[in-house]
Amino acid sequence: MKEYRKGPVLLRGRNVPTTSTGERLLDEQHRADWLHGDPWRVLRIQSEFVEGFGALAELGPAITVYGSARSLPGSPDYEAGLEVGRLLAEAGYAVITGGGPGCMEAANKGANDAGGTSVGLGIELPFEQGINDYVNLGMIFRYFFVRKTMFVKYAQGFIALPGGFGTLDELFECLTLVQTRTVVRFPIVLFGEAYWGPLVGWLRDTLVADGKIAPHDLDLLHITDDPATAVDLATARHRAGDGAG
């Protein structure tokens, strides 16, 4: 039977909604009744921040690992995620992912199997919902912006495995926060030269060439095909005492 998690509530069968909480929040309002509902949403949003802060405040050093939910077990991306998660745990870092399948599951599994803290921050969605079996500290959020805050606030670095729109969204949000010094200049590592190289080439040949970003902005990104190098790059600033969550 299909099931759906709406915050702490589990819904099944005919109770499964056709829209998510985030979709309803951002839906164009045609009636004035939103004036009565939206102030109450603020309290729900506040509660998600409080719950997230409470769950993660004592996490310790951590690295957020982004990546596709569609990478299959046994694929090169999945295997890389396993190794990255394992190496991070062995280095004393918790692993934070979106808690879903694919690369997220791989990083969580690698960390969990190595005896580390494996964090999954899920999101209420009509599809690709739920927390994988290798998470030992998990939450499901209603709102993307609350979840994104947790990804950044409690991490000392970021590793992006190959992924789709969600990974790109999270990657460029991190880049913007670091470029604007909204957060400490945390390392941002792209795993997979063949996958990410064309994107970095476009940033250089189009954005830098047209003056939309500065040449030194590309220094915020590091690309590697080696899991150990990815972990070393992502944790370097924290190990040097130059980063804080």
Side-chain angles (χ1 to χ4, degrees):
M1 179 182 294
K2 183 179 180 182
E3 63 179 44
Y4 189 93
R5 291 193 178 274
K6 188 177 181 182
V9 179
L10 175 64
L11 301 171
R12 288 180 173 150
R14 64 182 182 181
N15 292 316
V16 174
T18 57
T19 59
S20 68
T21 303
E23 181 181 350
R24 291 189 293 276
L25 170 68
L26 298 174
D27 185 30
E28 184 178 358
Q29 302 292 339
H30 297 288
R31 302 184 308 276
D33 58 359
W34 66 270
L35 287 168
H36 308 289
D38 276 8
W40 289 104
R41 283 196 179 103
V42 172
L43 297 178
R44 180 177 289 169
I45 292 166
Q46 176 181 288
S47 73
E48 285 213 340
F49 276 113
V50 171
E51 290 169 359
F53 292 160
L56 301 175
E58 299 179 353
L59 181 62
I63 300 296
T64 294
V65 180
Y66 301 124
S68 175
R70 303 184 183 188
S71 297
L72 299 176
S75 68
D77 296 345
Y78 192 96
E79 293 301 312
L82 282 173
E83 186 68 0
V84 164
R86 180 184 70 81
L87 291 171
L88 285 169
E90 291 177 352
Y93 289 84
V95 172
I96 303 173
T97 79
C103 287
M104 294 176 282
E105 177 186 288
N108 285 135
K109 185 178 189 304
N112 183 70
D113 290 352
T117 301
S118 176
V119 181
L121 306 180
I123 186 71
E124 177 193 323
L125 286 176
F127 57 92
E128 292 179 355
Q129 188 193 149
I131 297 292
N132 67 66
D133 293 337
Y134 305 102
V135 167
N136 48 52
L137 173 56
M139 292 186 66
I140 294 180
F141 292 89
R142 293 182 175 94
Y143 301 103
F144 271 106
F145 53 88
V146 181
R147 181 189 189 221
K148 286 181 175 181
T149 299
M150 304 305 157
F151 279 145
V152 174
K153 180 173 174 58
Y154 294 101
Q156 279 70 47
F158 313 100
I159 298 175
L161 298 165
F165 284 161
T167 301
L168 289 170
D169 174 46
E170 291 151 353
L171 168 63
F172 279 101
E173 178 146 12
C174 288
L175 275 171
T176 301
L177 292 172
V178 176
Q179 182 205 41
T180 58
R181 301 187 182 183
T182 303
V183 298
V184 178
R185 294 173 64 85
F186 287 171
I188 300 173
V189 182
L190 304 178
F191 185 89
E193 176 71 40
Y195 192 87
W196 295 111
L199 173 62
V200 175
W202 177 77
L203 295 175
R204 180 186 61 247
D205 298 339
T206 303
L207 273 66
V208 172
D210 202 34
K212 298 297 188 293
I213 62 173
H216 62 77
D217 286 333
L218 292 182
D219 296 338
L220 301 176
L221 291 167
H222 309 278
I223 305 182
T224 182
D225 287 322
D226 178 52
T229 301
V231 169
D232 285 343
L233 289 169
T235 60
R237 285 188 178 274
H238 178 258
R239 288 185 285 107
D242 190 29

